Amino acid sequence: MKDPISISILELAIITQDSNAPETFQKTKEIAQLADNLGYKRFWLAEHHNMAHVASSATVVLIGYIAGHTQNIRVGSGGIMLPNHSPLIVAEQFGTLETLYPNRIDLGLGRAPGTDQPTAEAIRKDFFEQAQRFPQNVTKLQDYFSAENATAKVRAFPAEGTNVPIWILGSSMESAALAAAYGLPYAFAGHFAPRQMIQAFEFYRENFQPSEFLDKPKTIACVNIIAADTNEEAERLSTSLYQMFLNLIRGDRKGLQPPVDSLDDIMSEEERFHVNQMTACTFTGNKGQLITDLKKFINYAKVDELMATGPIFDHQAKLKSIHITKEVIDTINTI
């Protein structure tokens, strides 16, 4: 019998129009608590910088806040952009989190800056050199977490021996190759860069080298899921997501916009083309529609876990979407 599919959440702590960071942190906590109560597996937060509408820039601090207000759900990064940081500091931070919240912390690592070029250089002058050293820095991080590092001159306390699970995150074949070679679990950013996802998963599975951390391939597909009582309501709610990507293309730093009846008057044909490419892995609808569409996707992508992100303007509608999505996955696991 096939293993049941797990469901998790990627939260970007997006500030909606006319809201602010304090309100957003409160909403993020409520989302995490609901996911915890419903039995979601993970709640990951993503590192972004110089984005006025994204409140997760101090990702590690927010992970600690969420872990402290939940009971069972795994909390982690989706991801920490490793070239922005010293591996030693990351090990110390996540070792501390794991010590405070045992067996509940995940460390997802990305290679991108999570921002624009001037900000990347403001974070770290040698960012682009460090991006090239990503594989070596992953190894260095693993060393800091290992009990064997006890004899090294530089040690990470209290990380040593905590064995925080490391995930490789990506949106390309390069990340798939690294995850396979290192024998680490692999999460793909299908929610904004789905083009190479299936190819990357296939390459990862075919080239996976078992390691002390993982004996067989383990995958997460991160996708957009907008659920509601009716297909029409879900479609309308999803217009906030499409506006978010439109503003990203335009370099417009607006907060998350309320839904609209039609996108036709908002974006040009060229803009629509680019938005549709970025959001091709978006699932929208009522419970029945999502059962059909997500079951088909899970079988096609052959993933072990789905991670849902859903920028929905209205907080109560977002909580309802999370409820329905869990019901959908529970139903799929019984079919």
Side-chain angles (χ1 to χ4, degrees):
M1 187 177 173
K2 197 177 76 168
D3 291 336
I5 192 93
S6 299
I7 182 72
S8 296
I9 288 177
L10 174 68
E11 181 55 44
L12 304 181
I14 294 172
I15 300 173
T16 59
Q17 176 184 279
D18 302 328
S19 188
N20 52 46
E23 286 180 3
T24 301
F25 292 143
Q26 176 67 25
K27 290 175 183 176
T28 302
K29 180 184 75 172
E30 289 174 10
I31 292 164
Q33 288 173 332
L34 174 63
D36 192 20
N37 291 335
L38 291 175
Y40 276 74
K41 188 164 189 178
R42 308 175 206 278
F43 189 91
W44 282 5
L45 294 143
E47 178 184 347
H48 292 281
H49 301 282
N50 197 28
M51 296 185 182
H53 61 285
V54 178
S56 57
S57 55
T59 318
V60 175
V61 178
L62 204 49
I63 290 169
Y65 171 68
I66 295 302
H69 284 88
T70 50
Q71 298 297 320
N72 301 303
I73 197 167
R74 298 191 66 87
V75 187
S77 59
I80 290 294
M81 300 297 108
L82 189 54
N84 291 341
H85 309 279
S86 153
L88 175 64
I89 300 300
V90 173
E92 289 173 342
Q93 291 172 337
F94 276 80
T96 300
L97 286 168
E98 176 64 20
T99 303
L100 289 168
Y101 310 105
N103 303 313
R104 290 187 54 213
I105 301 298
D106 292 328
L107 174 52
L109 298 173
R111 188 198 302 253
T115 188
D116 54 79
Q117 185 170 334
T119 309
E121 291 173 356
I123 292 169
R124 189 165 187 171
K125 287 294 182 190
D126 64 344
F127 171 84
F128 295 99
E129 178 188 331
Q130 292 302 322
Q132 296 304 311
R133 290 186 53 79
F134 182 68
Q136 295 94 319
N137 285 336
V138 171
T139 298
K140 195 176 286 187
L141 195 48
Q142 290 175 315
D143 289 342
Y144 285 133
F145 279 121
S146 72
E148 292 73 29
N149 202 57
T151 57
K153 286 185 178 178
V154 179
R155 300 170 65 185
F157 300 106
E160 234 169 64
T162 54
N163 293 317
V164 175
I166 292 176
W167 288 75
I168 298 298
L169 314 184
S171 56
S172 68
M173 299 303 294
E174 198 172 3
S175 56
L178 178 65
Y182 276 47
L184 291 172
Y186 181 47
F188 195 96
H191 61 298
F192 73 86
R195 192 168 60 88
Q196 291 186 308
M197 180 166 58
I198 301 303
Q199 185 184 359
F201 280 145
E202 288 175 352
F203 182 92
Y204 168 72
R205 284 190 291 264
E206 289 168 6
N207 294 277
F208 181 84
Q209 300 294 315
S211 69
E212 62 178 293
F213 308 104
L214 198 62
D215 60 354
K216 62 180 181 178
K218 189 174 183 180
T219 53
I220 292 178
C222 187
V223 300
N224 299 302
I225 300 179
I226 310 286
D229 286 333
T230 67
N231 289 341
E232 293 75 20
E233 185 185 355
E235 284 294 332
R236 190 171 192 280
L237 291 174
S238 73
T239 59
S240 294
L241 178 146
Y242 296 119
Q243 290 179 81
M244 184 182 79
F245 279 97
L246 174 64
N247 290 333
L248 187 64
I249 290 169
R250 290 176 175 175
D252 191 335
R253 295 174 178 239
K254 291 178 182 173
L256 188 68
Q257 299 294 294
V260 294
D261 292 330
S262 173
L263 294 165
D264 293 341
D265 299 330
I266 295 176
M267 65 177 83
S268 67
E269 282 301 313
E270 184 182 0
E271 288 172 331
R272 182 183 290 276
F273 172 79
H274 290 299
V275 168
N276 286 346
Q277 276 204 319
M278 295 174 77
T279 60
C281 212
T282 298
F283 300 89
T284 304
N286 63 15
K287 183 177 175 180
Q289 185 70 51
L290 288 172
I291 289 169
T292 300
D293 294 346
L294 286 173
K295 186 174 187 295
K296 185 177 177 182
F297 171 76
I298 291 162
N299 291 337
Y300 177 58
K302 298 182 175 68
V303 290
D304 302 301
E305 189 171 326
L306 277 186
M307 183 165 278
T309 186
I312 294 175
F313 183 81
D314 180 77
H315 185 54
Q316 293 307 314
K318 180 161 183 168
L319 296 177
K320 187 163 195 176
S321 179
I322 290 166
H323 259 290
I324 295 171
T325 299
K326 183 62 167 65
E327 291 175 358
V328 166
I329 298 302
D330 288 345
T331 301
I332 289 172
N333 283 330
T334 64
I335 295 173

